[in-house]
Amino acid sequence: MSGAGEGEAEDISTVDNYQGLQIAPNPDGTITRLAKLPESPPTSDPKLPTPVLSKDIPINESKNTWVRIYLPRHALDHSSSSKLPLVVFYHGGGFILCSAASTIFHDYCVSFATDVPVIIASVEYRLAPEHRLPAAYEDATEALHWIKTTPDDWLRDHADLSNTFLMGISAGGNIAYHAALHADVDRLHPLKIHGLILQQPFFSGSQRSGSELRLANNPEFPLSWSDLMWDLSLPIGASRDHEYCNPTVGDGCKKLDRMAVGWRVLVTGWDGDPLIDRQIEVAKMLEENGVHVVCHFAEGGYHGVDIIEASKAKALFVVVKNFIFS
C-alpha cells in the first residue's frame, strides 16, 4: 500500500478526484453520478430460499426517504417474547454516493442480520450536494421517530425497540454519531438507544492528522477524495473544522451528556485507512467525557474493507455481536 511517510507533505495534486469518484460537477452545484452502482431489490416472500427477508417502506415521500427492513427468517418461528435487538443502519458513500439499495450494502446487511443476529432498519437518506448537511442527519433522526410509531408488523412483532443501536459505516458512522447527538431521546419511547456502532467513521479536520499525511495517496481512498466529499457535503463556506466534520472542536463535547448516561459506543477501524487517527481521536474524546467506549482497531485493511472482503466482515460481526449482547 503506497503512501507518504509519517509527517511528509502530501502529494495529491495529480489526482483527478471527480474522475476517481466517477462524478461530474454541474453549473447549478449538483453532480452527475456517472457510474450506475449495482442495486438489489428487497426479498419479502418467505417462500423464497433466503436466510433474511427484506422490504422497503416509505418514511417521507416528499423527501424520497425510506427504510429497508431486514428480518432473519428464523425470527418468524419464534414467539413475540423473544424479540431481537434493532440496529438502525446508515450506509456509507461520503454523503454523496450510494443508497440503502446498493448491492454492497444490501448484501452486507443480509450477512449482518444472519450472523449476529439482529433486525436491521437501513435508512435511505438524502445525498449531498443536492442536499447538504445537516439534511442526512435530519433524515436519520426522522427515521427514528418513524420507527417508534410505524405499524409495520416485522418491527412490531419481532424487534425489541427498547434495545436499539445506531450503526453506520464511513459517512454512515458520522451520521449515526450526529443522529445520536441530535435525536430527542425523551420523545422516542418505546424506542430506546443503547449505543452506537461507528464503523470506520468519516471525520476529518483542517489540520492534517498523522495518518492522513502518511496515507494521503492511499490507492483505495486517497485523501483528496475525502476532501472533495467534504467540500460537496458541508454547508457552503464551511471548513473541515465545522462540527459536522470535526467533532473535537467547538462545543461538540457539550452535547455528549446523553451518551455518558448508559450508552456504549463501539468504534472500529484499520491502520491502512487515512482516517484512523481521526477515529482514534474521537473515541478518546468520548472516553474523556465519560462515555463507555469499546475500540477495535486492527492492522492492515483499508477504508471500506469490512464491506468489501467477506472474511473481514465475518470477523467484525463477531466483535459487534459481543458488543450488542454483552
Side-chain angles (χ1 to χ4, degrees), residues 194-217:
H194 271 230
L196 311 181
I197 301 166
L198 309 181
Q199 185 181 351
Q200 294 187 280
F202 189 36
F203 297 113
S204 190
S206 295
Q207 183 175 347
R208 300 302 192 191
S209 70
S211 61
E212 287 172 337
L213 289 170
R214 186 177 69 253
L215 298 166
N217 299 307

Side-chain angles (χ1 to χ4, degrees), residues 31-45:
I31 60 173
T32 298
R33 296 161 179 85
L34 301 174
K36 176 60 177 175
L37 300 177
E39 295 189 352
S40 296
T43 304
S44 59
D45 187 351

Side-chain angles (χ1 to χ4, degrees), residues 89-98 105 125 127 133 136-137 140 167-179 198-203 221 229-230 233 244 275 279 303:
F89 181 80
Y90 306 104
H91 68 79
F95 304 109
I96 65 172
L97 298 171
C98 302
F105 293 113
Y125 53 86
L127 298 179
L133 297 174
Y137 305 153
M167 176 178 179
I169 180 170
S170 189
N174 178 294
I175 292 171
Y177 175 85
H178 284 284
L198 309 181
Q199 185 181 351
Q200 294 187 280
F202 189 36
F203 297 113
F221 190 61
M229 287 171 163
W230 282 117
S233 303
Y244 297 161
L275 307 183
Q279 297 154 3
H303 194 75

Side-chain angles (χ1 to χ4, degrees), residues 26 28-33 60-66 91 93-98 124-140 142 171 174-175 228-236 244:
N26 299 319
D28 63 356
T30 64
I31 60 173
T32 298
R33 296 161 179 85
N60 187 323
E61 293 187 4
S62 68
K63 299 177 181 178
N64 196 30
T65 57
W66 45 272
H91 68 79
F95 304 109
I96 65 172
L97 298 171
C98 302
E124 177 77 349
Y125 53 86
R126 290 171 293 170
L127 298 179
E130 294 80 6
H131 306 281
R132 289 177 175 263
L133 297 174
Y137 305 153
E138 294 167 353
D139 297 343
E142 184 176 28
N174 178 294
I175 292 171
L228 178 56
M229 287 171 163
W230 282 117
D231 288 345
L232 294 171
S233 303
L234 287 168
I236 297 292
Y244 297 161

Side-chain angles (χ1 to χ4, degrees), residues 18-290:
Y18 282 94
Q19 182 179 356
L21 291 171
Q22 296 185 282
I23 59 176
N26 299 319
D28 63 356
T30 64
I31 60 173
T32 298
R33 296 161 179 85
L34 301 174
K36 176 60 177 175
L37 300 177
E39 295 189 352
S40 296
T43 304
S44 59
D45 187 351
K47 297 177 182 178
L48 295 175
T50 176
V52 176
L53 304 175
S54 56
K55 63 180 175 181
D56 295 344
I57 307 177
I59 293 177
N60 187 323
E61 293 187 4
S62 68
K63 299 177 181 178
N64 196 30
T65 57
W66 45 272
V67 64
R68 178 165 294 185
I69 301 174
Y70 295 85
L71 176 71
R73 177 187 294 276
H74 69 77
L76 296 174
D77 302 326
H78 290 66
S79 68
S80 59
S81 62
S82 56
K83 294 183 176 181
L84 294 173
L86 174 67
V87 171
V88 182
F89 181 80
Y90 306 104
H91 68 79
F95 304 109
I96 65 172
L97 298 171
C98 302
S99 162
S102 295
T103 296
I104 192 169
F105 293 113
H106 174 82
D107 291 349
Y108 182 81
C109 286
V110 168
S111 297
F112 187 95
T114 302
D115 285 12
V116 175
V118 292
I119 293 175
I120 298 175
S122 180
V123 178
E124 177 77 349
Y125 53 86
R126 290 171 293 170
L127 298 179
E130 294 80 6
H131 306 281
R132 289 177 175 263
L133 297 174
Y137 305 153
E138 294 167 353
D139 297 343
T141 54
E142 184 176 28
L144 298 179
H145 288 276
W146 177 88
I147 289 170
K148 79 154 192 173
T149 58
T150 180
D152 176 69
D153 57 333
W154 285 6
L155 293 177
R156 182 193 64 222
D157 297 339
H158 304 292
D160 181 1
L161 298 189
S162 68
N163 192 18
T164 295
F165 293 82
L166 308 188
M167 176 178 179
I169 180 170
S170 189
N174 178 294
I175 292 171
Y177 175 85
H178 284 284
L181 290 184
H182 294 99
D184 187 346
V185 293
D186 293 332
R187 296 180 57 198
L188 288 177
H189 183 79
L191 186 151
K192 182 177 181 181
I193 300 171
H194 271 230
L196 311 181
I197 301 166
L198 309 181
Q199 185 181 351
Q200 294 187 280
F202 189 36
F203 297 113
S204 190
S206 295
Q207 183 175 347
R208 300 302 192 191
S209 70
S211 61
E212 287 172 337
L213 289 170
R214 186 177 69 253
L215 298 166
N217 299 307
N218 175 262
E220 287 85 9
F221 190 61
L223 187 59
S224 55
W225 288 10
S226 170
D227 290 351
L228 178 56
M229 287 171 163
W230 282 117
D231 288 345
L232 294 171
S233 303
L234 287 168
I236 297 292
S239 76
R240 290 194 304 275
D241 279 332
H242 191 285
E243 64 178 304
Y244 297 161
C245 180
N246 186 354
T248 66
V249 300
D251 295 332
C253 294
K254 295 181 180 179
K255 300 178 181 179
L256 299 176
D257 291 350
R258 68 183 58 173
M259 290 191 190
V261 182
W263 288 17
R264 296 177 294 126
V265 179
L266 171 65
V267 185
T268 76
W270 294 87
D271 68 358
D273 180 359
L275 307 183
I276 188 169
D277 282 0
R278 299 287 180 187
Q279 297 154 3
I280 293 172
E281 186 180 43
V282 170
K284 186 177 299 184
M285 177 198 70
L286 292 170
E287 202 163 39
E288 290 173 349
N289 282 271

